[in-house]
Amino acid sequence: MVFEDGWASSPLRWLMNALGASQLARLGAEPGLVAAVDQHAADLREAIPIDQETLGDYLLGFLDELRHRGWVFTGEADEPSLRLTAVCWLAREHGFLGDELPA
């Protein structure tokens, strides 16, 4: 995952474009992935209020930590990618992407 322009100004949209669309498409074919993402979404619901600003702020902090660690998205379902996919799923479900309706 390359941190290109737009990640800080529109983090939820940036994440959906960079990783989310492809990861969310995998959910229909991989039940284990669904369960893992659902668990991360539940953890987020318990940790923060799920509104657009708070979820975006959480994402910025999480991305900053991943950059600091030198994490790279490989396509594998590791803990960071599961958390990022959960953020995408929550953003889509709550209509935080602007041009998408909640599924």
Side-chain angles (χ1 to χ4, degrees), residues 1 3 63-74 80:
M1 181 187 300
F3 294 90
L63 290 172
D64 192 44
E65 178 64 26
L66 292 177
R67 284 183 356 157
H68 178 69
R69 292 182 185 180
W71 178 81
V72 175
F73 178 60
T74 64

Side-chain angles (χ1 to χ4, degrees), residues 33-56:
L33 185 60
V34 172
V37 169
D38 185 57
Q39 183 58 55
H40 278 271
D43 292 345
L44 284 167
R45 281 188 207 99
E46 290 180 14
I48 63 171
I50 303 300
D51 60 61
Q52 187 170 3
E53 183 176 352
T54 305
L55 190 60

